[in-house]
Amino acid sequence: VIRWVCRFLLGRTTHDVSVLINFVCVPPEELTVDLEQKLLGLRFKALDFFGLPGGFRWTGLWLRTSVVDTDAKSADKIPEYATQLDEYATSYFNRYNVPEVAKIEGPKVAAEAVGGHDDSIRFEGSVVWKKDQ
């Protein structure tokens, strides 16, 4: 049980992380040894298409990625987290709250068009045709 709780809390931690991507443009003619060392010290890497020949180093673009908000979640939050997925799913599925839902039955498949697009969707068995809008 403890392993499952730990996995659950680790999963919740990954819901909150953010990945920051920073770009810096330093034209190659302005790049000095000191500036290059400073960029490397700040964890920037020259964008060179990951070492492949014919890369992008000549563009002067430098890249840095950071992962933030990786703090572990407390077990005290489990009761709150336990219902969130159901709440989010209910909100998502009811986001349009359309009173009339077009129900169309194919030979073996019952399907319905939701979200106010019932006039642009046609069901033929397991195939769904949607008009390009």
Side-chain angles (χ1 to χ4, degrees), residues 49 56 107 114 124:
F49 213 147
F56 297 118
V114 295
E124 292 180 4

Side-chain angles (χ1 to χ4, degrees), residues 1-2 4-10 12 73-85:
V1 170
I2 292 173
W4 283 104
V5 170
C6 290
R7 285 182 183 175
F8 176 76
L9 292 173
L10 180 61
R12 289 304 306 190
K73 302 303 174 208
S74 168
D76 296 339
K77 302 278 278 181
I78 290 176
E80 177 187 339
Y81 296 150
T83 60
Q84 278 183 345
L85 180 58

